[in-house]
Every structure is written in structure tokens, then in C-alpha cells.
């Protein structure tokens, strides 16, 4: 059985900060075809659908649709603050390669 993705405390904390300003909404993490490596992540605030996997922590929710779930098995959803900017990042053990932008990958 594939392990579901994990969300770090840091990612939940950042989502709580965003939701404090915008109102409570889950963070959707999806995988779509495209990008420079074949697949790309789509990370945005979105309402949960009935068939989504809901990952909860710190009063926040991250949702993953059933089509994206196999691509995110065992992945870690984190929040990174670097000099070039702050963003949600995905450490994905299923990705055989990724591009420099960090939002595109191949399997």
C-alpha cells in the first residue's frame, strides 16, 4: 500500500497564517500534465471535494484529489523560505527528475 503524503508542521503553520488573512480554505495539492519535465504541481487554495484525501493538522487542511494521489505517495509537503522567495514545496520520492523551478517533475 502506498503511503499518503505528509504535511510538515511548517506548512500547516504557513497555511494558518494565510487563512487568518483570507478565511479558512484548504490547500489543494494536485499533479497535472505539463511543465518542463512532464508533470507539474498545482498548489492553490480550493474547497475540498467529496472524494479528496484530507490531511489535517493545526486546525488546517490540505486536500489531494484521487487522480493526483498515486503521484504523491510518500511525498512531503513543506513550506520553504529562501532568499528567492517563500513557497510551498514538495519533496517527492516518486519523481525521477525535476527542473530548476521546483514545480515540474518526471516519473
Amino acid at each position: 500500500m502506498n503511503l499518503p503524503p505528509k504535511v510538515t508542521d511548517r506548512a500547516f503553520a504557513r497555511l494558518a497564517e494565510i487563512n487568518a488573512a483570507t478565511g479558512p480554505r484548504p490547500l489543494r495539492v494536485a499533479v497535472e500534465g505539463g511543465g518542463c519535465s512532464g508533470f507539474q504541481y498545482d498548489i492553490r487554495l480550493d474547497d475540498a471535494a467529496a472524494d479528496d484525501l484530507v490531511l489535517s493538522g493545526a486546525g488546517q487542511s490540505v486536500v489531494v484529489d484521487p487522480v493526483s494521489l498515486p503521484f504523491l505517495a510518500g511525498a512531503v509537503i513543506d513550506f520553504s523560505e529562501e532568499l528567492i522567495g517563500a513557497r510551498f514545496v514538495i519533496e517527492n520520492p516518486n519523481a525521477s527528475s525535476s527542473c530548476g523551478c521546483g514545480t515540474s517533475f518526471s516519473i
Side-chain angles (χ1 to χ4, degrees), residues 42-95:
D42 179 23
I43 302 173
R44 67 186 189 285
L45 294 176
D46 191 20
D47 296 321
D51 58 352
D52 284 342
L53 170 71
V54 179
L55 306 164
S56 299
Q60 304 298 312
S61 297
V62 174
V63 296
V64 180
D65 67 87
V67 174
S68 298
L69 199 52
F71 297 103
L72 294 168
V76 176
I77 300 162
D78 196 6
F79 186 76
S80 173
E81 294 186 66
E82 301 170 358
L83 288 175
I84 57 169
R87 61 192 172 109
F88 288 98
V89 294
I90 307 206
E91 297 166 28
N92 192 340
N94 306 299

Side-chain angles (χ1 to χ4, degrees), residues 15-52:
L15 182 56
E17 290 174 7
I18 293 168
N19 280 331
T22 64
R25 289 186 78 190
L27 182 73
R28 176 169 300 282
V29 177
V31 174
E32 299 179 338
C36 35
S37 299
F39 294 98
Q40 63 187 3
Y41 298 114
D42 179 23
I43 302 173
R44 67 186 189 285
L45 294 176
D46 191 20
D47 296 321
D51 58 352
D52 284 342

